Amino acid sequence: MTQSALAQDDAADAAPQSLTDGFHLLIDALRLNDIDTIYNVPGIPITDLGRYAQAQGMRVISFRHEQHAGYAAAAAGFLTRKPGVCMTVSAPGFLNGLTALAHATTNCWPMILISGSSEREIVDLQRGDYEEMDQLAIARPHVKAAYRILHAEDIGLGVARAVRAALSGRPGGVYLDVPGALLGQVMDAVEGEKSLIKVVDPNPASLPSPEAVTRAVDVLSNAKKPLIIIGKGAAYAQCDDKIRELVETLGFPYLPMSMAKGLLPDTHPQCASAARSLVLKQSDCVFLIGARLNWLLSHGQGPGWGEKGGKSFVQIDIEPTEMDSNQSISAPLIGDIESCATALLDAIGTTWKKPDESWTGAVRDKVIGNVEKMAPRLQNNNSPMDYHSALGVIKQTIADNPDTVLVNEGANALDLTRSIVDVIKPRKRLDVGTWGIMGIGMGSAVAAAVETDNQVLAVEGDSAFGFCGMEVETISRYNLPVCIVVMNNNGIYRGDGENWSGGKDPATTVFVPDSRYDQMMTAFGGVGAHVTNADELRQAIGEAFASRKPTLINAVIDPAAGRESGNIGNLNPQSVVAQARYPQART
Ligand code: ADP
Ligand code: TZD
Ligand code: MG
């Protein structure tokens, strides 16, 4: 036996089996609540917490930056309906993780950020501790709940409160503050075990009232041109068969929001995605299922929504205060989606009269016409590619491999992928979410691979990828089946921007032209490919899927192919002064 092994043995003797500590209680409390994975970046005071968690059989995925560990935890929460857990060090690590925690809260996904922190007596007197910060106070405005645990015997309680807060009602982010000293606290092992709490029914069914159901059926049955909008709350709810039954029984055309794509296959005959403008404008009744009337739906108003006051709204949501947040909701159904859908189906029975063919047929004709119009654009083999030629290949890839999790971010790279690439199965699309964040890609890809073990295809704008690109090392290190396609158009929106002063600095929106992002993956032992046309792209993706090796494909896109801000250019502020001063600004 070596000297150090002997020393370890002595130490083990000195710590009898009858004791436990804060480290182990925290790990035991998480595991007791079915949390088996932690997304983390190590450092004081949580380095050993990660080691011990791994030693105890948890999956601990260490990232290069906390923001991406956090985005992974947020995506894991959406995919699994369990809180995704991210663990960070104090102050700067905590702040890096906080962006992702706020993102989880904004998207209504369950996540717990556990951050080590400095000691209260030093922080509260601002005596200047290592990475000192009042993290609890800073977290609070961005989360559903924030708790600090000071005593080992309260760890069970703290974790139980965090799990329940994250999952119950409208899900969201929870912050758990873990001062370093807590982890080293020792207590009796039997007492410690007794102090742990397994949360019972953290996500209880919430039934709509019978009056609310009757009212909703009344409004829906009076509609002549009804439309369903399905949001990512419905994807999160994991009652896919019930939602499909409801949509098919009602017989309304439906629009899936971005991350609700695939809940019913995008190829479903009632899917109206390719007739979006028509159905938003002409419908007379909109039935929202786990979708908010926020900016992504122009707040349910404006020219795209047809005549003012020309629509009634029915909405299912778990959160009562969501109602009337943008438009008057004639029939609110407050409850969980499964209970509401079940109650509606029971109420309408077998006598439901589907909407008139004059409406559903017109929508269907528009869909078929638009899909046919798009088809030839998706089949060109030009070099460099435009977005459409690259996405024609990706569309076929997903059609052939419907279990693939498609991760997607960028501007043009996002908007065009969303509208062109059909998703066939539920929860197979992860993207920028409610905030439209750049940089969620690699964290989401890691979470998708870790949580599902399915092949992941990340379609990334070159700018979007830049926010999280260092995590290709993480993907390589854990040997995850992730294929990244960087849509490389040399910049943000377009790669042909100019410096309007005529000076020597590059334009604010362009990057080093003809960069080779593929070499970032080969630097870490993964596979890199550089492709300039659709045939080469098809081959590179085929090889990545066959081998399941970490792969990065640098897909060369015409720098002039994109549009400013993709589909949301109208959100850019404009002024007459600027337009008079810069001729280039006139559009
Ligand atoms: P999208 O961006 O796809 O339109 P949002 O994130 O805006 O979707 O809306 C999701 C909505 O779903 C939120 O208002 C949330 O409260 C709600 N929600 C989440 N889970 C459930 C559930 N199980 N039952 C009912 N509503 C839910
Ligand atoms: N920072 C963060 C965190 N989120 C953002 N959404 C932005 C900045 C602003 N932004 C967008 O909204 S899209 C985008 C930025 C920087 C990048 C678009 O360029 P891209 O995609 O290369 O990713 P395309 O294909 O060139 O349009
Ligand atoms: Mg770009």
Side-chain angles (χ1 to χ4, degrees), residues 176-230:
L176 203 54
D177 195 77
V178 174
L182 172 77
L183 297 170
Q185 284 178 23
V186 168
M187 71 180 285
D188 179 75
V190 175
E191 288 304 310
E193 201 186 325
K194 277 198 241 160
S195 72
L196 301 183
I197 297 174
K198 177 159 174 67
V199 177
V200 177
D201 197 12
N203 196 358
S206 159
L207 275 68
S209 74
E211 302 80 55
V213 175
T214 308
R215 193 186 297 120
V217 172
D218 190 45
V219 176
L220 295 174
S221 58
N222 279 317
K224 299 270 178 293
K225 297 177 172 182
L227 168 69
I228 293 173
I229 299 181
I230 309 177

Side-chain angles (χ1 to χ4, degrees), residues 387 411-413 460-464 487-495 509 511:
Y387 289 93
N412 295 278
E460 300 271 313
D462 52 339
S463 166
M487 299 284 219
N488 188 359
N489 67 343
N490 292 347
I492 298 176
Y493 315 138
R494 291 170 70 95
T509 51
F511 301 138

